[in-house]
Amino acid sequence: MSQIEFDIEWTERAAKKAERLVPKGTPLALPPIECMPAEGDVLFLGQGDKKQPFIVVERQYHHEGEDAWTIVLILDLPE
């Protein structure tokens, strides 16, 4: 069975907004691997009525060896 880890990275302009909504070290819940967001999908991050949209601009796969993978979602702000 594969070991898959997830990571989220931000574009520079999205990072500033994300820091206000989601303080560093705050864990983010992601859907199961079968429902992982694809490029162009929108994720809403934040709590309560402070949720803001972020767009998945890229999804990368990094093979760590054997059955270990990391999936990286790169998020940006909508235009």
Side-chain angles (χ1 to χ4, degrees), residues 12-34:
E12 188 173 321
R13 65 187 200 135
K16 293 176 184 176
K17 185 173 227 175
E19 286 175 7
R20 290 191 305 264
L21 292 171
V22 184
K24 286 188 179 192
T26 302
L28 297 176
L30 292 173
I33 186 85
E34 301 82 23

Side-chain angles (χ1 to χ4, degrees), residues 1-20:
M1 186 161 149
S2 295
Q3 176 186 350
I4 300 172
E5 294 185 22
F6 299 100
D7 191 19
I8 293 180
E9 295 181 6
W10 314 88
T11 63
E12 188 173 321
R13 65 187 200 135
K16 293 176 184 176
K17 185 173 227 175
E19 286 175 7
R20 290 191 305 264

Side-chain angles (χ1 to χ4, degrees), residues 4-78:
I4 300 172
E5 294 185 22
F6 299 100
D7 191 19
I8 293 180
E9 295 181 6
W10 314 88
T11 63
E12 188 173 321
R13 65 187 200 135
K16 293 176 184 176
K17 185 173 227 175
E19 286 175 7
R20 290 191 305 264
L21 292 171
V22 184
K24 286 188 179 192
T26 302
L28 297 176
L30 292 173
I33 186 85
E34 301 82 23
C35 305
M36 274 304 292
E39 292 178 18
D41 285 351
V42 177
L43 302 177
F44 288 87
L45 302 176
Q47 296 183 3
D49 59 349
K50 294 185 179 182
K51 289 182 182 169
Q52 296 291 315
F54 290 85
I55 296 174
V56 178
V57 292
E58 190 174 338
R59 183 167 69 178
Q60 301 175 350
Y61 297 88
H62 299 281
H63 186 226
E64 309 293 333
E66 304 261 341
D67 288 335
W69 292 83
T70 300
I71 298 175
V72 179
L73 300 178
I74 300 176
L75 304 183
D76 197 3
L77 299 176

